[in-house]
Every structure is written in C-alpha cells, then in structure tokens.
Amino acid sequence: MFGRRKKKEEDKEKTAPVEPASPFDDDEADAVKALWRLTALPREEFDATYGDLLRRCWRSIAEAPGGEWTALRERSLKCVIAALKVRQAYVLPRFAAAEDSSRLTEVMSFALAACVLAERFAELLGRTVAPGWSPLDGDVPAAATLLEMAVPRSFGALLLIRLVGHAGHEWLAQEREALWAAAAYFGEGRSELREIGHDAAVRIGLPFVAPAPAHETGGGNEPSAERQANGDASAAEAGAEPESAETPGDKSAGESATAPESAPTDIGDGRVGWQWFNRVRAGLRDGSVVPNAEGGWLHNIDGAAFVVDPDCFEALAAAESLPPKSIRNRVLKLGRHRTRRSLAGRADAFAAELADGRRVNGMLFDGELFWDRDAPPASKSVLR
C-alpha cells in the first residue's frame, strides 16, 4: 500500500511541469521584491503582470553581448522603482473623479512601469542590428551589434506591445484611461506618466531618454511640439525668458548650411540648465571644449565629469545671455549633480587636485551627461 502511494507520488513529480529558471540574479530578485512592495497587489497578481513584464524584458536580452545590456537591466530596475515611488505623490488621471481614481490607482502604476521599461529598452533595441533578427518579435542574438544613431521615442510604443504579457494587456484593455496614458507616454504632447518617469530618473541621477532630434529621425527641422510646449513652459517656471522663435533670416547662410549632421543628441527638456549641458556636449564635439586640458575646466576623473566652478559657467555665460551664477542655479535645480556628505548636510562642491597642479573646487556629474559613449581618457586628476 505504502509502496503504491510512493510510486504515485514519484510519477506525479515526473509529470509535473518544470518551472522556467528565473532570469533575475539575487540583487535583481531583491529589487523586484522591493517593486512589489510599492504596489497593493497580491504577489500572485504582481507576478502575472509586473513579473511577466520584467521576465519578458530580461529574456529578450539574455544573449545580448556587451556591458551595455547589463547596465540596461540595472538602470531599468532602478528607474521603475523610482518611478513608482514618485508616482505615489500623484493622483492619476489628474482630473478623474474620486471613485475612478481609486479604481485606476494600480493599473496606472502598472502602465507607468511598463512605459519606463519600454522606453529604456527601446534606447538600445532601436540601435541593435543582427542578420535576420527583428526587435519586435525576437530575442537579441549573441551576434548583435549596436549602431550609433538616435532612436525616436515612439519606437518604445512598439516595444510596449511586445513586452507586456497577456495579463498586462488584459488589464490595460479593461481600463482605457490607462491604455491611453501609456500611448501618450510615447507621443509628442504632454504626458503625466512621462513627467513622472523623467522626474524619477533625475532624482536617482540617471539620464532620461530624450526624444531624438527631428533631423535624425526624418521629422524635418522644426523643434518638436513637446520641446516648444514643455521646454518653454519649464524655462518660464524657472524664471528664464523662453527662447524666441527664429526665422531663416536670423541665421547666416553659412551657419545653417554647415550644421553638422553628427552633432551630439540634445538631452533634457530645453530649460536653461539643460542648455548648458548641451552647449558643453556640442563644444566637446566641435573642439571648442577640450577635456583634461591644462588650465581647462572640464576633466574626466575616474569616469565622472568634474567641472571647475565658476569657470565652467563663465565660459558659456555669453551664449546664454545670463550671469554665470544664474546658470549655475539652473543647473543645480535639475538635480543631476553629485553630492557628498558634510557637517552641514549635503554639499554640492568637490575639491580636486588637477593634473596640471591646480587645487580647485567644482561640481561632479555622471560622465555620460557630457560625452555619451565617446569618453575622453581619464585624467590624472584626483578628488581630495
């Protein structure tokens, strides 16, 4: 009798479906658990929606070569967790009735998480090429390579359809407000979810995915509607006058004819602080800003960008038509600089001994804010 029962149990174990191996390492599994705690979902429902979404993302790049993909996983998880933390301070949709807001709370959070992941993955998958492979239905093969090109934000909407699993699709389809909010995230107009996602990225010190310039995506030479609406509005809120529209006669023929097609992609939303970043990026490309130069104000210290204060703001103040101190304040408001602990709390200034012998104070930023993947050589300068 006991022998037959044991045999039945063994047969049952043999025929039981094998659970697929988790694609998450230990640190990622802890982060997924932290993400779950930011929701009010039972773990089973979380795994069927968020969990399925994350597993699809991770497995789609499991064979992808290079450190960019490992960094993508780490950044994506950080951004999703930060986005859901920021989202807790919002009522979405903003003008919905109280009973509707209560019903939509969880699905709007899921829509936000899905959009943040799709946006992050689109940034790399949109530049990935491999023979016979499509990013819309296939996992990245080991033979894949990355092209140097800008990816339109709308590409993320295509990936969203692929990365969201069956349960997630059903959930979004049942709540059209959340579905439309997800679609708006990748559009040209204003998006409450995108504002939260980008605010979260800024808070944790990561660059958000700026829309590709029109000349790189075939959309003409006019600035996007979002840049005009959001950028100018943000500048006004920060106390700066919005940029006036230019006509063809405002620029010389030589200036318009020689605009380099390989100019660095602009980042940010057009506010004065972001304009400063973009002028530095452009200067690195055209040679007017030389990193690690003797007497210079921009130095690569262990991969981070150290800028001598106030030289870095004085150098570009004329182009901004603002005093250096005002530009510095606008940059600080973006929250992209690194800080350090001090007796007074958090400090913005770092002391450094530069390779040319100078001892200076300055600010420290993530290097990729300035030089993307084409980083200059690390200097012999050190932080003190």
Side-chain angles (χ1 to χ4, degrees), residues 287-374:
S288 58
V289 175
V290 181
N292 304 328
E294 184 174 347
W297 50 263
L298 174 62
H299 301 266
N300 179 351
I301 301 182
D302 296 329
F306 176 83
V307 294
V308 179
D309 185 9
D311 300 15
C312 60
F313 302 112
E314 292 175 345
L316 302 175
E320 301 291 358
S321 300
L322 286 171
K325 188 174 181 180
S326 295
I327 299 175
R328 184 183 190 278
N329 290 338
R330 305 297 168 81
V331 171
L332 284 174
K333 285 183 179 180
L334 298 179
R336 304 311 305 272
H337 59 290
R338 297 185 185 179
T339 58
R340 59 179 177 82
R341 293 185 181 277
S342 70
L343 295 177
R346 307 292 292 182
D348 303 318
F350 287 79
E353 183 170 348
L354 302 182
D356 58 14
R358 288 180 295 157
R359 293 193 174 190
V360 296
N361 290 326
M363 296 175 65
L364 202 63
F365 299 88
D366 288 346
E368 61 195 2
L369 284 169
F370 296 98
W371 46 67
D372 293 328
R373 290 165 298 280
D374 301 322

Side-chain angles (χ1 to χ4, degrees), residues 129-140:
V129 293
W133 170 79
S134 167
L136 301 183
D137 63 1
D139 297 340
V140 179

